[in-house]
Amino acid sequence: RLRCDWSSDVCSSDLTSAYIKGTSPFDLTNSTFTRQWPVLEQLFAALQFAHSLGIHHGHLHPGNLLIDEQNQLHMTGFSLPLALYHGDQAYMSPELKQGQVPHISDDIYSLGCILFHLLTDRKWHDGETFESNSPIPAIVQQSVSAMLDPSPYSRPGDLTELKQTFSDYANGTDRKSTRLNSSHTSIS
């Protein structure tokens, strides 16, 4: 839970959350990208909102994504200290694995890992690629690859165009452009 005193611009977080009835973890197996898009769209929107406030998740992985009975996404584990991280390290950025301070670029990397897993039915590992005969459009492959760039400075810094690319793919819309947004993450 995030509590903010807007009069002094001071925010603090608690390690508490509301009880959410009937939730289950986000399942990347036995599903298709198109079927999971409504939840992914909520994930993109939640991350865009958090990032607009300068807040990063820092530990994004499927176990921190809970889906309720109405197919609504609930994210848990926001900004937990690394010492409390018990998630799958396959979704963790190289910087976090080295013990660096979490940043928005880590969320983008982790989201790329989730998307790669959902699109290929394989967990992301350094050096993984899409199969050469993959039916996944080049723009989608390029977008995921950019999110998984080993350098946080080379990853896309904004989720807006990425969200549109994946929305187009999920909805079967053919985008003629194969250009990625050239904005990069600014590490401060």
Side-chain angles (χ1 to χ4, degrees):
R1 180 175 67 172
L2 183 67
R3 292 180 298 155
C4 296
D5 176 357
W6 300 112
S7 63
S8 64
D9 290 332
V10 173
C11 293
S12 64
S13 61
D14 299 346
L15 293 177
T16 63
S17 63
Y19 174 74
I20 306 165
K21 184 178 178 182
T23 60
S24 59
F26 185 60
D27 186 9
L28 296 176
T29 59
N30 302 317
S31 191
T32 65
F33 184 89
T34 304
R35 187 174 299 134
Q36 293 289 9
W37 177 247
V39 172
L40 290 169
E41 191 170 29
Q42 293 173 59
L43 177 56
F44 269 90
L47 288 173
Q48 284 177 295
F49 179 72
H51 293 174
S52 75
L53 298 175
I55 300 170
H56 60 273
H57 187 280
H59 307 294
L60 193 62
H61 61 88
N64 279 340
L65 306 175
L66 303 176
I67 313 303
D68 69 16
E69 295 169 336
Q70 287 77 40
N71 209 34
Q72 295 299 304
L73 173 69
H74 301 270
M75 296 173 68
T76 64
F78 259 94
S79 298
L80 285 175
L82 282 175
L84 297 178
Y85 183 79
H86 297 292
D88 189 337
Q89 289 200 2
Y91 300 93
M92 189 182 274
S93 73
E95 308 84 79
L96 288 180
K97 289 178 184 176
Q98 295 171 1
Q100 294 180 19
V101 176
H103 188 270
I104 289 169
S105 66
D106 301 311
D107 291 350
I108 292 172
Y109 183 92
S110 297
L111 180 56
C113 291
I114 290 169
L115 294 169
F116 183 87
H117 190 166
L118 190 57
L119 290 164
T120 66
D121 202 28
R122 299 185 328 258
K123 283 188 180 180
W124 168 257
H125 298 285
D126 291 339
E128 285 277 346
T129 60
F130 288 91
E131 295 175 7
S132 59
N133 61 348
S134 173
I136 300 166
I139 184 67
V140 173
Q141 292 183 36
Q142 292 167 359
S143 296
V144 172
S145 295
M147 296 169 79
L148 295 171
D149 194 290
S151 171
Y153 304 103
S154 298
R155 292 180 204 136
D158 181 72
L159 293 172
T160 305
E161 187 171 338
L162 291 168
K163 181 180 177 186
Q164 187 61 54
T165 297
F166 293 111
S167 177
D168 290 346
Y169 174 63
N171 295 313
T173 306
D174 183 22
R175 285 183 68 189
K176 300 297 181 195
S177 171
T178 58
R179 180 185 61 82
L180 287 176
N181 187 341
S182 62
S183 65
H184 297 290
T185 303
S186 171
I187 306 293
S188 46

